[in-house]
Amino acid sequence: VGVVPDAERALASGCGWVSPTTLRGLIAELLASSDATQRWLGIAACALHRVDPGAVLSPLIEQSSDLLRARALQAAGELGRVDLLEACLSRMDEGDAACRYRAAASALLLGGGMRAARALQTLAQEPGPFSRQALQLLLLHADLAQARALVRELIARQVPVRLVIQATGWAGDVQAVPWLIQQMADPLHARVAGEAFTLLTGADLARLDLEGPAPETVEGGPTEDADDDNVDLDPDESLPWPDVARVQTWWETNRSRLPAGTRCFMGGAADEAQCQKVLRDGAQRQRAIAAVLLKLMRPESALINVAAPAPRQQRLLGLPVKVS
């Protein structure tokens, strides 16, 4: 950590993946350490297991280490520590970008309302590593009218079309579905528009036979060209290619079934029952959104960790535990 890029995330993920019994005794030692990195790991492990470390969390928000402070702020939101709401609100302008984002995000998850939303909006408008995350959280928190205004603002700022498409799905506004179907005609945006369409309507393109063949030439992801320095994976690789005509027909047949005048999520009103259903049955990115929506409804609750091992999540959701 501190030497190898992204080692923090890998180390924390390892602690989050193992059984809690493996960490018994170790976490107390880490939290009591004088080394900031060890305390950071202790807090990260607690947060990933959704175990409240108690009184030790509050002083860590005061630490000079940006890495440690950012993780403590993040943990406060993940664990539902509403007693630390004011501490998060008061630090939305302090430290590096990670600290400012974690403070604002946790403040919103803990019920910080418009103060937190304004800080997230500033972060969303600034170029940086947290702008997309800030925008998503802001849109999930907004009511329908606010969400529509935020999407219109993105269009006015001429942000990339891909981001507008994603924002439309996060906004929960079914009035935008005809525009999304239009975007499916562009191979560059077809799959992400299909994903946003599913996020709003709940229509599984593959299961409902609403997908079509991939275009003969598709840009995205690494190529076999030795002179091509782009080694990033195609972000839409796992998404189906929508068949525009069949999607349009499905929409004309089913649009009246969707709730009007309220946020729509996976084909229903974005209430607690719908979010629980998506957590049980949805795809991973859909489940991550469901977890955030539930957290926004109940600030004092812990944010469900959709990246935890499946048996742990199955127990939490009251499902039969499947062990391979």
Side-chain angles (χ1 to χ4, degrees):
V1 173
V3 178
V4 179
D6 296 327
E8 309 95 29
R9 181 179 179 185
L11 182 58
S13 294
C15 287
W17 193 256
V18 299
S19 167
T21 56
T22 308
L23 302 173
R24 192 164 293 149
L26 173 62
I27 300 305
E29 292 180 18
L30 292 171
L31 292 175
S33 172
S34 59
D35 180 76
T37 301
Q38 292 194 25
R39 280 179 288 165
W40 164 85
L41 181 58
I43 286 297
C46 286
L48 287 167
H49 283 271
R50 299 304 190 253
V51 173
D52 190 342
V56 72
L57 184 57
S58 180
L60 295 181
I61 293 177
E62 314 284 345
Q63 293 296 308
S64 58
S65 163
D66 282 341
L67 178 67
L68 178 53
R69 192 187 338 163
R71 195 60 188 87
L73 287 163
Q74 181 181 349
E78 290 170 335
L79 296 170
R81 288 287 299 269
V82 291
D83 58 306
L84 296 177
L85 171 58
E86 285 303 320
C88 293
L89 287 168
S90 66
R91 284 159 182 82
M92 294 189 300
D93 297 319
E94 297 179 3
D96 63 9
C99 286
R100 289 185 283 115
Y101 170 69
R102 296 304 178 190
S106 286
L108 193 75
L109 293 175
L110 294 172
M114 289 310 299
R115 283 178 64 187
R118 283 192 294 269
L120 283 171
Q121 186 162 9
T122 298
L123 287 164
Q125 292 171 348
E126 297 175 350
F130 300 100
S131 59
R132 182 182 176 277
Q133 293 169 260
L135 176 63
Q136 183 188 55
L137 188 52
L138 190 63
L139 283 165
L140 294 179
H141 171 263
D143 63 31
L144 197 56
Q146 293 168 337
R148 285 172 178 165
L150 286 167
V151 173
R152 286 195 297 267
E153 181 187 322
L154 292 176
I155 296 170
R157 285 169 42 209
Q158 297 183 322
V159 304
V161 174
R162 178 183 178 84
L163 183 58
V164 178
I165 290 171
Q166 292 175 316
T168 299
W170 301 332
D173 183 8
V174 292
Q175 288 188 7
V177 167
W179 179 79
L180 285 176
I181 296 175
Q182 291 175 13
Q183 306 314 305
M184 294 178 194
D186 181 353
L188 188 62
H189 301 125
R191 288 174 291 174
V192 71
E195 182 180 39
F197 175 82
T198 298
L199 197 59
L200 290 171
T201 66
D204 185 321
L205 301 185
R207 185 175 60 83
L208 296 173
D209 195 25
L210 301 179
E211 61 179 333
E216 292 184 6
T217 57
V218 181
E219 294 185 5
T223 68
E224 296 182 0
D225 184 352
D227 296 324
D228 187 352
D229 293 331
N230 178 24
V231 295
D232 292 337
L233 297 177
D234 182 353
D236 301 333
E237 184 177 15
S238 63
L239 300 177
W241 287 93
D243 182 298
V244 179
R246 278 183 273 179
V247 169
Q248 181 67 47
T249 299
W250 184 93
W251 171 243
E252 291 170 357
T253 303
N254 293 277
R255 63 189 303 174
S256 61
R257 302 179 187 176
L258 300 176
T262 187
R263 173 184 294 278
C264 195
F265 177 50
M266 294 293 291
D271 55 21
E272 186 168 339
Q274 180 70 350
C275 290
Q276 291 284 358
K277 180 178 183 298
V278 174
L279 278 172
R280 292 192 300 271
D281 305 327
Q284 191 70 339
R285 288 200 286 229
Q286 298 159 2
R287 298 180 69 244
I289 289 173
V292 171
L293 289 172
L294 277 174
K295 181 74 174 73
L296 290 167
M297 294 177 208
R298 302 180 305 203
E300 73 288 348
S301 66
L303 175 67
I304 294 171
N305 183 5
V306 298
R312 200 182 301 164
Q313 293 190 58
Q314 289 160 352
R315 285 190 289 269
L316 180 65
L317 296 171
L319 299 173
V321 176
K322 302 174 184 178
V323 180
S324 58

